[in-house]
């Protein structure tokens, strides 16, 4: 394929990756205590299923999935649960590192349903972005036809080298993880997109590609430019496909995963290992031993940085993520989560505060670098004026918050901050607007639950009557005619409603991971209750008909 495809805009900030990509990927020391937050991904937080005093092993489930857009949480060290709060679970380690693994699966022979269930029970979420649950993303084939799986190895953000080191050390395993996902989504083609500033990872991938691959894999090396790692930008560059405004990559037949997620998928399937650790880049001039570490989830950021030689007097701030899209940590007493891909311990000279903002001079620089071809200047004015109608018209929610516009602004206007605040305000308005609708959906859920309970009651009653008839020498025939056809239609309709609710929920969660999903989760729960009731009624009718027809 030629290298003629490209996306608009983009910038060339200092890469600063050399500080962390010069040493090998190693294991961080086993923490003595971990704090595991219940909200480690987009969607609903998990619900604790352990109590203080419980003994756990590495991989023991400590919080269960709640709702569709959610993920199980597992113990990352062996020891004793010391605290279960409303937002987190604390485990004191025993230093033994005893594991509880799931049985190994042969992914080439396993049924897709078994693989999906393995992803579900392994608690895997996307490790490169918003943390969307992988078991939901893997079911994309139920809603879209996928022709290409893209391995997003661009890792364009400055400082971060987690994917780079993952590929250097685990290229074969990442490609095998990609084969699993390709099998699940039906993709016939796998393409790797990687920037040309990762020569060692490219070399490792080329070597791995020389091995047999069930599905063809193409390696595409692209010039380094931020933000090539955005899903829309990478798809445009690799395949010359435009993801529509408000749409998803699946709308153009593409699915994207980053290397870390694919490696976690293989570990879950092949080794039965839930997601209990991840690769984290430790960098910045305030630490003396930068590099990449395998870190257990729940490890204290302070403990991790001190192990890397933290120079506390020189430390100005710690940024979680990259300098373009990451956010400063308010305290170092915060734990590593599934979304922690990089920690930058920066000095004041390294990442100084931005200069004071001055008025916009309408230079148009922001527009020239926007990778989504938006009009950042207009969005800035409308955001400050809280003109939400204009913000919607100018596609505010297509903004990927890459920060390129803020980076080049000569007036030092925090444009992305404006966009984030505007998005939050609009999301809040949407929540207020749907509150009344949500109350209606809660009522419908209650009615559906009562209907399902009544159906279960009738099923038990019918079972007792059937037992009595079988023991009687003269069973009386039922006077009521069973409407099997009507019940089959009702069952099919209920099944379709569940599928529709799942599709809507998955799409909204992927389009806007920060949006509240409570109402959509409620609608799905209602549809599931209706389906259970319909299944029970249909089963009763079939049994009754069978009983009447038997001599």
């Amino acid at each position: 394929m030629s290298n003629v495809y490209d996306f608009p805009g983009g910038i060339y900030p200092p890469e600063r990756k050399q500080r962390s990509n010069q040493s090998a990927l190693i294991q961080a020391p086993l923490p003595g205590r971990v704090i595991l937050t219940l909200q480690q991904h987009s969607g609903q937080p998990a619900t604790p299923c352990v109590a203080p005093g419980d003994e756990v092993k590495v991989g023991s489930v400590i919080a269960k999935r709640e709702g569709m857009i959610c993920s199980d949480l597992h113990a990352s060290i062996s020891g004793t649960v010391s605290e279960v709060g409303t937002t987190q679970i604390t485990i004191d380690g025993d230093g033994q590192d005893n594991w509880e693994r799931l049985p190994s699966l042969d992914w080439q022979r396993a049924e897709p349903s078994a693989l999906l269930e393995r992803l579900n029970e392994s608690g895997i979420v996307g490790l490169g972005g918003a943390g969307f649950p992988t078991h939901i993303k893997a079911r994309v084939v139920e809603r879209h036809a996928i022709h290409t799986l893209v391995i997003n190895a661009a890792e364009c953000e400055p400082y971060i080298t987690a994917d780079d080191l993952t590929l250097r050390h685990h290229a074969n395993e990442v490609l095998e993880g990609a084969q699993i996902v390709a099998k699940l989504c039906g993709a016939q083609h796998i393409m790797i997109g990687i920037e040309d500033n990762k020569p060692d990872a490219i070399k490792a991938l080329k070597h791995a590609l020389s091995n047999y691959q069930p599905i063809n894999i193409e390696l595409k090396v692209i010039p380094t430019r931020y933000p090539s790692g955005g899903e829309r930008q990478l798809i445009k560059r690799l395949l010359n496909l435009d993801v529509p405004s408000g749409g998803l990559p699946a709308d153009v037949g593409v699915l994207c995963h980053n290397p870390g997620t694919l490696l976690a998928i293989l570990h879950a399937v092949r080794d039965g290992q839930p997601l209990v650790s991840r690769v984290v880049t430790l960098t910045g001039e305030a630490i003396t031993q930068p590099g990449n570490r395998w870190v257990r989830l729940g490890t204290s950021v302070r403990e991790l940085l001190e192990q890397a030689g933290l120079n506390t007097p020189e430390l100005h701030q710690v940024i979680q993520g990259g300098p373009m899209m990451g956010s400063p940590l308010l305290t170092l007493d915060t734990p590593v989560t599934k979304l922690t891909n990089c920690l930058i311990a920066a000095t004041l000279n390294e990442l100084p505060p931005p200069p004071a903002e001055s008025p916009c001079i309408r230079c148009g620089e922001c527009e020239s670098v926007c990778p989504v071809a938006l009009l950042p200047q207009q969005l800035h004015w409308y955001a400050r004026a809280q003109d939400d109608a204009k913000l919607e018209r100018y596609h505010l929610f297509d903004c990927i918050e890459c920060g390129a516009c803020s980076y080049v602004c000569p007036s030092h206007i925090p444009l992305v901050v404006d966009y984030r605040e505007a998005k939050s305000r609009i999301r809040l308005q949407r929540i207020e607007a749907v509150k009344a609708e949500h109350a209606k959906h809660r009522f419908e859920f209650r009615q559906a639950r009562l209907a399902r309970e009544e159906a279960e009651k009738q099923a038990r009653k019918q079972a007792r009557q059937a037992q009595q008839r079988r023991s009687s020498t003269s069973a009386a025939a039922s006077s009521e005619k069973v409407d099997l056809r009507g019940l089959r239609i009702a069952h099919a309709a209920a099944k379709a409603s569940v599928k529709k609710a799942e599709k809507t929920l998955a799409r909204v969660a992927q389009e806007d991971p920060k949006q509240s999903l409570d109402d959509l989760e409620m609608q799905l729960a209602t549809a599931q209750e209706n389906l259970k009731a319909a299944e029970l009624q249909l089963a009763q009718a079939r049994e009754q008909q069978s009983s009447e027809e038997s001599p």
Side-chain angles (χ1 to χ4, degrees), residues 416-541:
V416 173
V417 174
D418 289 349
Y419 306 151
R420 285 174 179 162
E421 290 177 355
K423 285 181 180 179
S424 297
R425 186 179 64 253
I426 292 172
R427 287 190 188 102
L428 189 60
Q429 290 170 354
R430 287 174 178 173
I431 291 171
E432 291 297 321
V434 301
K435 269 187 177 177
E437 195 72 7
H438 187 50
K440 174 188 167 190
H441 292 147
R442 288 177 61 189
F443 174 75
E444 290 174 349
F445 171 72
R446 180 175 181 275
Q447 295 300 102
R449 179 173 56 78
L450 293 176
R452 189 254 306 160
E453 290 173 353
E454 177 62 23
E456 290 175 346
K457 181 180 174 183
Q458 290 300 323
R460 291 192 294 271
K461 180 180 177 182
Q462 188 173 330
R464 289 195 299 272
Q465 290 174 341
Q467 181 64 32
Q468 290 169 358
R469 281 199 297 273
R470 280 193 290 271
S471 61
S472 172
T473 54
S474 58
S478 172
S479 59
E480 293 184 10
K481 192 69 177 174
V482 176
D483 182 14
L484 260 182
R485 182 172 179 275
L487 288 173
R488 286 196 190 102
I489 292 173
H491 177 257
K495 207 171 182 178
S497 295
V498 170
K499 289 286 183 189
K500 183 180 178 183
E502 287 180 345
K503 182 178 178 180
T504 303
L505 178 55
R507 185 175 187 87
V508 171
Q510 277 190 278
E511 286 176 353
D512 186 2
K514 296 178 182 175
Q515 183 166 324
S516 172
L517 302 173
D518 290 350
D519 194 47
L520 292 173
E521 289 277 10
M522 180 66 70
Q523 291 180 52
L524 173 59
T526 303
Q528 289 169 334
E529 289 286 350
N530 284 330
L531 177 59
K532 289 176 187 172
E535 286 173 342
L536 283 167
Q537 289 166 351
L538 184 59
Q540 290 169 32

Side-chain angles (χ1 to χ4, degrees), residues 105 107 110-119 180 183-184 269:
L105 281 178
W107 66 266
E111 292 294 324
S113 58
L115 295 174
L116 286 172
E117 179 56 25
R118 175 55 56 90
L119 299 185
I180 296 173
K183 175 183 177 180
L184 281 172
V269 174

Side-chain angles (χ1 to χ4, degrees), residues 12 23 28 83 164 217 223 225 242 253 264 307 349 376 420 430 447 458 470 477 499 508 513 546:
Y12 301 90
S23 53
E83 183 181 352
D164 183 2
I217 303 179
R225 178 160 56 106
D242 292 302
Q307 290 163 359
N349 290 332
R420 285 174 179 162
R430 287 174 178 173
Q447 295 300 102
Q458 290 300 323
R470 280 193 290 271
K499 289 286 183 189
V508 171
S546 173

